[in-house]
mmCIF file of all heavy atoms in Angstrom:
data_model
loop_
_atom_site.group_PDB
_atom_site.id
_atom_site.type_symbol
_atom_site.label_atom_id
_atom_site.label_comp_id
_atom_site.label_asym_id
_atom_site.label_seq_id
_atom_site.Cartn_x
_atom_site.Cartn_y
_atom_site.Cartn_z
ATOM 1 N N VAL A 444 123.402 146.131 82.841
ATOM 2 C CA VAL A 444 123.096 145.397 84.074
ATOM 3 C C VAL A 444 123.970 145.966 85.245
ATOM 4 O O VAL A 444 123.521 146.110 86.408
ATOM 5 C CB VAL A 444 123.251 143.898 83.930
ATOM 6 C CG1 VAL A 444 123.318 143.167 85.165
ATOM 7 C CG2 VAL A 444 122.090 143.463 83.054
ATOM 8 N N MET A 445 125.179 146.342 84.934
ATOM 9 C CA MET A 445 126.152 146.748 85.876
ATOM 10 C C MET A 445 125.545 148.119 86.493
ATOM 11 O O MET A 445 125.529 148.282 87.723
ATOM 12 C CB MET A 445 127.539 147.017 85.329
ATOM 13 C CG MET A 445 128.628 147.158 86.269
ATOM 14 S SD MET A 445 130.135 147.371 85.400
ATOM 15 C CE MET A 445 129.916 149.039 84.661
ATOM 16 N N HIS A 446 125.050 148.956 85.585
ATOM 17 C CA HIS A 446 124.580 150.298 86.030
ATOM 18 C C HIS A 446 123.315 150.049 86.840
ATOM 19 O O HIS A 446 123.034 150.680 87.880
ATOM 20 C CB HIS A 446 124.261 151.171 84.780
ATOM 21 C CG HIS A 446 125.567 151.724 84.244
ATOM 22 N ND1 HIS A 446 125.617 151.916 82.984
ATOM 23 C CD2 HIS A 446 126.840 152.016 84.881
ATOM 24 C CE1 HIS A 446 126.928 152.369 82.590
ATOM 25 N NE2 HIS A 446 127.600 152.478 83.753
ATOM 26 N N ALA A 447 122.484 149.048 86.238
ATOM 27 C CA ALA A 447 121.169 148.855 87.081
ATOM 28 C C ALA A 447 121.390 148.333 88.422
ATOM 29 O O ALA A 447 120.667 148.531 89.393
ATOM 30 C CB ALA A 447 120.329 147.893 86.187
ATOM 31 N N ARG A 448 122.331 147.287 88.551
ATOM 32 C CA ARG A 448 122.681 146.799 89.840
ATOM 33 C C ARG A 448 122.972 147.860 90.912
ATOM 34 O O ARG A 448 122.560 147.638 92.097
ATOM 35 C CB ARG A 448 123.845 145.783 89.803
ATOM 36 C CG ARG A 448 123.618 144.719 90.909
ATOM 37 C CD ARG A 448 124.932 143.801 90.928
ATOM 38 N NE ARG A 448 124.869 142.863 89.864
ATOM 39 C CZ ARG A 448 124.354 141.518 89.977
ATOM 40 N NH1 ARG A 448 123.599 141.260 90.918
ATOM 41 N NH2 ARG A 448 124.507 140.669 88.846
ATOM 42 N N ALA A 449 123.512 148.936 90.501
ATOM 43 C CA ALA A 449 123.786 149.942 91.455
ATOM 44 C C ALA A 449 122.590 150.702 92.027
ATOM 45 O O ALA A 449 122.520 151.304 93.093
ATOM 46 C CB ALA A 449 124.673 151.041 90.830
ATOM 47 N N ARG A 450 121.412 150.448 91.306
ATOM 48 C CA ARG A 450 120.093 151.109 91.706
ATOM 49 C C ARG A 450 119.383 150.211 92.710
ATOM 50 O O ARG A 450 118.314 150.676 93.291
ATOM 51 C CB ARG A 450 119.273 151.290 90.373
ATOM 52 C CG ARG A 450 119.896 151.995 89.385
ATOM 53 C CD ARG A 450 119.327 153.282 89.184
ATOM 54 N NE ARG A 450 120.196 154.241 88.586
ATOM 55 C CZ ARG A 450 119.833 155.515 88.270
ATOM 56 N NH1 ARG A 450 118.564 155.936 88.499
ATOM 57 N NH2 ARG A 450 120.668 156.270 87.645
ATOM 58 N N THR A 451 119.681 148.916 92.760
ATOM 59 C CA THR A 451 118.830 148.000 93.557
ATOM 60 C C THR A 451 118.601 148.336 94.917
ATOM 61 O O THR A 451 117.544 148.162 95.444
ATOM 62 C CB THR A 451 119.426 146.549 93.614
ATOM 63 O OG1 THR A 451 120.735 146.627 94.084
ATOM 64 C CG2 THR A 451 119.462 145.856 92.141
ATOM 65 N N ARG A 452 119.663 149.042 95.534
ATOM 66 C CA ARG A 452 119.480 149.512 97.028
ATOM 67 C C ARG A 452 118.430 150.676 97.135
ATOM 68 O O ARG A 452 118.094 151.073 98.209
ATOM 69 C CB ARG A 452 120.897 150.065 97.397
ATOM 70 C CG ARG A 452 121.849 148.913 97.729
ATOM 71 C CD ARG A 452 121.276 147.945 98.784
ATOM 72 N NE ARG A 452 121.756 146.634 98.716
ATOM 73 C CZ ARG A 452 122.450 146.020 99.839
ATOM 74 N NH1 ARG A 452 122.659 146.805 100.930
ATOM 75 N NH2 ARG A 452 122.924 144.803 99.637
ATOM 76 N N MET A 453 118.023 151.193 96.030
ATOM 77 C CA MET A 453 116.935 152.222 96.163
ATOM 78 C C MET A 453 115.585 151.715 96.269
ATOM 79 O O MET A 453 114.606 152.483 96.522
ATOM 80 C CB MET A 453 117.013 153.209 94.772
ATOM 81 C CG MET A 453 118.194 153.994 94.797
ATOM 82 S SD MET A 453 118.579 154.656 93.080
ATOM 83 C CE MET A 453 117.251 155.723 92.875
ATOM 84 N N GLY A 454 115.334 150.413 96.191
ATOM 85 C CA GLY A 454 114.085 149.759 96.461
ATOM 86 C C GLY A 454 114.024 149.078 97.683
ATOM 87 O O GLY A 454 114.991 149.065 98.534
ATOM 88 N N ARG A 455 112.803 148.482 98.049
ATOM 89 C CA ARG A 455 112.656 147.764 99.310
ATOM 90 C C ARG A 455 111.969 146.453 98.918
ATOM 91 O O ARG A 455 111.225 146.407 97.899
ATOM 92 C CB ARG A 455 111.596 148.568 100.150
ATOM 93 C CG ARG A 455 112.167 149.853 100.712
ATOM 94 C CD ARG A 455 111.365 150.459 101.707
ATOM 95 N NE ARG A 455 111.000 149.533 102.733
ATOM 96 C CZ ARG A 455 110.128 149.625 103.700
ATOM 97 N NH1 ARG A 455 109.325 150.798 103.666
ATOM 98 N NH2 ARG A 455 109.865 148.802 104.585
ATOM 99 N N LEU A 456 112.216 145.509 99.778
ATOM 100 C CA LEU A 456 111.614 144.222 99.547
ATOM 101 C C LEU A 456 110.107 144.236 100.095
ATOM 102 O O LEU A 456 109.900 144.814 101.171
ATOM 103 C CB LEU A 456 112.281 143.033 100.274
ATOM 104 C CG LEU A 456 113.695 142.788 99.606
ATOM 105 C CD1 LEU A 456 114.542 141.917 100.551
ATOM 106 C CD2 LEU A 456 113.651 142.334 98.224
ATOM 107 N N PRO A 457 109.092 143.581 99.556
ATOM 108 C CA PRO A 457 107.730 143.612 100.151
ATOM 109 C C PRO A 457 107.724 142.976 101.450
ATOM 110 O O PRO A 457 108.469 141.841 101.583
ATOM 111 C CB PRO A 457 107.020 142.942 99.038
ATOM 112 C CG PRO A 457 107.871 142.001 98.371
ATOM 113 C CD PRO A 457 109.277 142.799 98.316
#
Side-chain angles (χ1 to χ4, degrees):
V444 165
M445 195 181 70
H446 290 146
R448 203 186 285 275
R450 308 248 158 176
T451 55
R452 289 294 160 123
M453 293 162 67
R455 295 188 50 191
L456 296 173

